[in-house]
Amino acid sequence: MLSAILYPRYSVLIIAVALFAATSCQQNSHINAAKAKSNTPAVTAPANAEQADTSSDDAPLAHFKHEAFNEDIDDLPPAIAQFVPGGYTAIDTATGDLNLDSWPDMILVLKKNGEDTTSDVSEHPEKRPLLILTGKADNTWQIAARNDNVVLCIDCGGAMGDPFMKVVIKNGYFSIEHYGGSAWRWGRVTTFRYAPADAYWYLYKEGSESFHATTDPNKVTTTIKTTKDFGKVRFDEYDTYKED
């Protein structure tokens, strides 16, 4: 069943943050990530942008379109596509054992259609739901959890554009990777772990790195927070938009 629903995703960007050993892949250079993503502009203007009506201070904003890092996934199998609400499209998937029952599970990251023109990071960020689907022995799926505040919006990455990179699953853990900034770059990996006693997922670690891309890219500040810092946080209660 795994081969029937797994779609390999090849990331063109290596994120700046080291993934935790229990949850993700090999650590990569933040400098490579900065160089790779800096080639993609945060927003693009139409060819006739110079002719746009500028009679109002707000008018030009309607002509800009945010660029998404991940492409739309339009070929989900029907058994998975049924969980995508109307008006939304999947932009990332990951498959693995999320609840340690040996059956393959899946994470879907969704976007609201039209987010590239309607999202406003300051006033109205368009939320991107993350769905946890657990697989059953009869080859069916069910939604085990959902959080609309764990994946950042399309224009939440500053000058670097869309900050969402990917989601990774490994043996009851899953991590969400973000990368963004301008001259000051930042990366973040948020990791959740399954608790068998509660049959649910809780925040496990949150790691971040920052550096200045032009003045001193090799001087990296790293911060790692654990349950000693944030306590017991359920997956569905985590809010990346909430200020510390």
Side-chain angles (χ1 to χ4, degrees):
M1 180 177 67
L2 178 58
S3 61
I5 51 85
L6 179 57
Y7 290 82
R9 308 296 308 282
Y10 297 96
S11 175
V12 297
L13 175 66
I14 301 174
I15 191 166
V17 182
L19 279 174
F20 306 110
T23 61
S24 55
C25 305
Q26 181 179 1
Q27 179 178 5
N28 295 289
S29 168
H30 63 279
I31 300 175
N32 291 337
K35 291 180 179 178
K37 195 171 182 182
S38 61
N39 293 327
T40 302
V43 295
T44 57
N48 62 346
E50 66 275 10
Q51 300 175 0
D53 179 13
T54 57
S55 58
S56 167
D57 291 340
D58 296 331
L61 296 179
H63 296 276
F64 286 100
K65 188 174 183 179
H66 304 294
E67 294 291 335
F69 176 71
N70 291 277
E71 296 181 355
D72 293 357
I73 302 174
D74 299 320
D75 56 351
L76 290 172
I80 301 299
Q82 65 175 321
F83 296 104
V84 179
Y88 285 82
T89 300
I91 57 173
D92 195 24
T93 66
T95 306
D97 189 359
L98 285 168
N99 56 1
L100 305 178
D101 64 354
S102 299
W103 295 103
D105 308 306
M106 176 175 278
I107 286 179
L108 291 179
V109 178
L110 311 177
K111 72 166 189 179
K112 185 176 182 180
N113 297 338
E115 66 168 13
D116 52 355
T117 56
T118 60
S119 185
D120 183 337
V121 62
S122 300
E123 302 294 334
H124 178 64
E126 291 288 4
K127 302 299 182 65
R128 290 168 153 181
L130 186 151
L131 310 183
I132 295 178
L133 306 181
T134 52
K136 299 181 180 181
D138 60 358
N139 294 335
T140 61
W141 304 79
Q142 67 177 11
I143 294 183
R146 170 174 171 163
N147 187 324
D148 290 15
N149 297 305
V150 70
V151 177
L152 286 171
C153 69
I154 189 173
D155 53 329
C156 286
M160 297 300 293
D162 185 355
F164 173 64
M165 300 288 99
K166 62 181 178 179
V167 61
V168 178
I169 297 174
K170 187 173 182 180
N171 300 331
Y173 295 80
F174 66 93
S175 297
I176 300 99
E177 303 181 16
H178 290 99
Y179 176 79
S182 53
W184 275 105
R185 307 290 171 83
W186 56 267
R188 183 192 306 163
V189 178
T190 305
T191 302
F192 295 85
R193 180 174 65 176
Y194 183 71
D198 298 337
Y200 202 75
W201 299 267
Y202 292 86
L203 184 61
Y204 174 63
K205 283 185 180 180
E206 190 155 49
S208 63
E209 287 187 352
S210 62
F211 63 97
H212 198 283
T214 57
T215 60
D216 198 352
N218 293 315
K219 185 178 180 181
V220 181
T221 300
T222 301
T223 302
I224 296 179
K225 295 182 179 180
T226 68
T227 53
K228 293 181 180 179
D229 302 295
F230 46 71
K232 191 173 184 179
V233 181
R234 286 172 53 94
F235 165 70
D236 58 357
E237 295 176 349
Y238 175 86
D239 189 350
T240 192
Y241 294 97
K242 185 178 180 180
E243 296 183 1
D244 295 334

